[in-house]
Amino acid sequence: MGAKLEGYATYHANGTGPFIVESRVPDSKTILVKNTQWWDKSDANVDRIEFTPIVSAATRVAALLSEEVNFTDSAPSQDIPRLAAQPNLKVMERTDLRTVMIGFNRKAKLDNGTENKFNDLRVRQAFAHALDPQLIQKRIMRGKSRTAGAIIAPEIPGYTEALDKPVAFDPELSKKLLAEAGATDLPFTLVCTTDAYVNEEELCQGMINMLSRGGFKPQLDIAPAAAQTPKRANGKADVYLIGWANEPMLDSYSILLQMIQTKTDNAGVFNWGGWSYPEVDKLIVEASTQMDRTKRLELQTKALQVVKDEIIMLPLHQQPMAWVMTGKVDSIVQLADNKPRHWLTHIAK
């Protein structure tokens, strides 16, 4: 990395979007005001936005109930029934584009110094069979998630139904596969974060229990993303949880290029497992120069098929998203990328 460069644009908005930054205090409050010179003359009537980050879920709920805040795009799922029952609040729910999945590190040895048996496909298959997708969806995610068999959501180009079949829950088969691979009672560490995904702590604790019953000896390493991301990115995590929404292009090429392709200076930025599949790389590179959309997506779907067959990544679900607003918000557009378009929002007068 070169020298740190700072200039006027580092601390000032350029004013080309629908809102202009009036003031900003990091981790406290950011105030946006309407840009009257913006090119899109929509009929939205939001003139001012005060963004206040509230890390605590309980505090966020209390702020909504008291109408101290009028909108949140991260309502805690366990509080949705309570919030929906309030006459002054409106709840909007759906699943978003982000697929939460398991990544396996393909280094020679695990962090505990033992041979990395996850390089054997049978062990990855055993891991998949040890997890109960129905239990995760109903209990841990409170029926709000969408169980996934593919690493991309149905809305993402490159998706096919054929890819989207979850691995069957079968803990006895898991034990059998581990025995065949000489990996009975395999010890490893699952690295999770506390602040990245919906109900992540419950999800990771639940998976630890399921994996134990499936013949593994898992240990949970859970902490905020600031502490966990370096472990994952630097190959220090045996197995880890990660989510991907295929932004900003909203196309399967995003995840294939950045997470699946062999890591180089130009690809595999999030290939934290260090795997390499030449046949997949070839398909991704060919797709990058294919101008015919149908042919390009066919190439990407073929690459995604290898990802599924080899369990390069193990998809769990598309996570739920819940927006809650007070009566102050008359209407708002909720799209699958979980990003509010406040220039399309109407405030009650």
Side-chain angles (χ1 to χ4, degrees):
M1 299 257 324
K4 183 178 179 181
L5 299 177
E6 294 185 352
Y8 183 86
T10 306
Y11 301 100
H12 298 80
N14 62 18
T16 61
F19 298 97
I20 299 172
V21 177
E22 180 181 273
S23 64
R24 173 169 169 76
V25 179
D27 301 319
S28 178
K29 181 172 288 188
T30 299
I31 298 178
L32 308 176
V33 294
K34 187 174 183 178
N35 180 4
T36 58
Q37 302 302 312
W38 193 44
W39 59 269
D40 186 355
K41 305 301 181 184
S42 67
D43 61 350
N45 62 351
V46 177
D47 296 320
R48 179 184 178 87
I49 300 171
E50 293 188 7
F51 174 71
T52 305
I54 304 175
V55 177
S56 166
T59 305
R60 203 179 313 130
V61 169
L64 280 166
L65 292 171
S66 66
E67 299 193 23
E68 180 184 345
V69 299
N70 296 114
F71 171 81
T72 182
D73 60 0
S74 54
S77 58
Q78 66 270 20
D79 291 303
I80 295 301
R82 176 187 173 198
L83 293 169
Q86 302 301 313
N88 64 321
L89 298 179
K90 177 183 176 183
V91 176
M92 296 176 68
E93 295 182 87
R94 61 159 296 157
T95 53
D96 73 15
L97 297 177
R98 188 171 306 280
T99 301
V100 176
M101 64 197 91
I102 294 290
F104 302 95
N105 201 305
R106 307 297 284 279
K107 56 191 176 183
K109 292 186 179 296
L110 296 175
D111 203 43
N112 57 24
T114 63
E115 179 187 354
N116 185 4
K117 295 287 188 175
F118 286 107
N119 285 315
D120 188 321
L121 175 59
R122 291 171 297 183
V123 175
R124 303 195 298 278
Q125 290 172 333
F127 192 108
H129 285 299
L131 300 181
D132 186 344
Q134 187 176 20
L135 183 63
I136 290 173
Q137 200 273 342
K138 287 189 174 180
R139 294 283 184 85
I140 298 174
M141 305 308 294
R142 297 172 174 81
K144 305 293 186 180
S145 62
R146 178 189 178 277
T147 301
I151 63 171
I152 58 171
E155 297 92 339
I156 300 296
Y159 168 93
T160 64
E161 281 192 35
L163 290 171
D164 200 19
K165 291 181 173 57
V167 177
F169 172 55
D170 191 338
E172 294 307 314
L173 178 55
S174 175
K175 293 176 185 177
K176 180 182 177 182
L177 288 166
L178 286 177
E180 290 177 359
T184 301
D185 296 330
L186 177 66
F188 72 94
T189 300
L190 171 63
V191 173
C192 292
T193 56
T194 59
D195 52 1
Y197 311 115
V198 176
N199 290 357
E200 184 175 13
E201 293 186 62
E202 290 181 61
L203 173 61
C204 290
Q205 290 284 1
M207 287 195 293
I208 289 292
N209 293 332
M210 295 175 199
L211 290 163
S212 297
R213 292 195 293 270
F216 291 86
K217 280 192 173 178
Q219 179 178 336
L220 180 60
D221 177 359
I222 188 163
Q228 303 299 68
T229 297
K231 296 176 188 176
R232 296 180 295 182
N234 296 325
K236 300 297 184 182
D238 298 337
V239 181
Y240 55 89
L241 200 69
I242 187 171
W244 198 265
N246 293 279
E247 297 171 317
M249 62 185 72
L250 299 181
D251 187 279
S252 55
Y253 181 73
S254 168
I255 193 169
L256 290 171
L257 172 68
Q258 299 184 69
M259 186 182 290
I260 304 302
Q261 192 169 340
T262 301
K263 190 168 186 176
T264 65
D265 290 340
N266 301 312
V269 176
F270 292 90
N271 183 342
W272 290 344
W275 48 82
S276 180
Y277 288 79
E279 68 272 31
V280 176
D281 292 347
K282 183 179 178 181
L283 290 166
I284 298 170
V285 171
E286 188 176 347
S288 70
T289 57
Q290 175 55 254
M291 301 304 293
D292 184 294
R293 184 177 187 274
T294 300
K295 292 180 180 178
R296 176 178 64 80
L297 293 180
E298 287 175 354
L299 291 166
Q300 292 170 201
T301 299
K302 287 180 181 178
L304 291 168
Q305 183 67 61
V306 179
V307 172
K308 183 175 182 64
D309 294 343
E310 290 293 317
I311 315 184
I312 300 176
M313 304 293 295
L314 175 62
L316 299 175
H317 55 244
Q318 277 87 47
Q319 67 178 13
M321 55 186 271
W323 294 3
V324 180
M325 62 216 72
T326 69
K328 179 74 172 177
V329 180
D330 186 51
S331 66
I332 191 167
V333 177
Q334 186 183 49
L335 300 178
D337 61 2
N338 203 12
K339 290 180 170 56
R341 273 68 168 178
H342 287 307
W343 61 91
L344 301 176
T345 299
H346 286 78
I347 299 299
K349 293 297 187 180

